[in-house]
Amino acid sequence: MMTLPTGLIKVTRFTMLLALLSAILSSCSSIKYREMQAASPELKGLKTYHWERPALDAASGANAQQFDATFRAEIDKGMAIKGYVYSADNAQLLLDYRIAVVTRPGIEEPNYGPHWIRDDTGNFRFTGWEDPQGASNLLEHGIITISMRATRTEHLLWEGGASKLLTSGVEQTNPVSAAKTAASVLLHRIPAPR
């Protein structure tokens, strides 16, 4: 019986793992986009923005912090290309995103998709994560929404979201790749300033 050197065994194992990972990722479902709030005419003339919530810190966990930093950086670059200007002090728009991995159908269902609503007192509330009655609890979806609100009036001016069926735990372990993919999908849909 022939014995392989230890280094060759490690390379072979790595190659097999890489092939398995590639197969898993290539068989992943596609990302579905849904506009939840069409661009409002109030967007006209609004070009400055800032993030509504502060960036996540280390207390949020390494993966969450990595995702947040990468997603914000990608969105900031894309917003600049579209003609928006980041302004910490004088922003006309508030930009916010929400992300979750939920066990429920994707956001393509208009009655249950995550979205902002304004309650009877005029306050905004994020809703739509609830499972519809009878929904399967076997499928996990990664969902991210991004919204633009007017700083002065707090009106929701645009909102879009992306949903992806997660077919393995591997997709949840690379926050940088996930953030870049999500940002890319959403940036194509964010309306340019008018």
Side-chain angles (χ1 to χ4, degrees), residues 63-187:
N63 281 353
Q65 187 180 22
Q66 267 189 311
F67 181 93
D68 183 68
T70 303
F71 184 77
R72 286 172 185 254
E74 293 294 313
I75 293 293
D76 286 341
K77 282 192 285 188
M79 293 288 281
I81 291 168
K82 285 184 176 278
Y84 289 100
V85 177
Y86 181 84
S87 173
D89 300 325
N90 239 355
Q92 299 163 315
L93 296 167
L94 298 173
L95 203 58
D96 193 20
Y97 79 94
R98 304 292 172 146
I99 184 168
V101 175
V102 294
T103 305
R104 56 173 299 287
I107 63 172
E108 61 275 3
E109 298 177 25
N111 296 328
Y112 297 102
H115 59 280
W116 287 99
I117 61 167
R118 185 176 271 192
D119 64 20
D120 295 336
T121 62
N123 294 318
F124 277 95
R125 181 171 60 91
F126 201 74
T127 187
W129 300 115
E130 303 87 7
D131 287 346
Q133 187 173 2
S136 168
N137 61 358
L138 301 176
L139 301 176
E140 285 189 324
H141 289 260
I143 299 173
I144 186 164
T145 63
I146 190 164
S147 62
M148 300 170 81
R149 293 189 301 118
T151 304
R152 189 175 51 78
T153 63
E154 294 190 1
H155 290 162
L156 180 62
L157 304 180
W158 176 84
E159 183 175 31
S163 171
K164 184 176 190 310
L165 178 64
L166 303 177
T167 56
S168 74
V170 172
E171 293 170 307
Q172 298 174 43
T173 61
N174 189 341
V176 171
S177 174
K180 286 182 177 186
T181 300
S184 175
V185 168
L186 293 170
L187 276 167

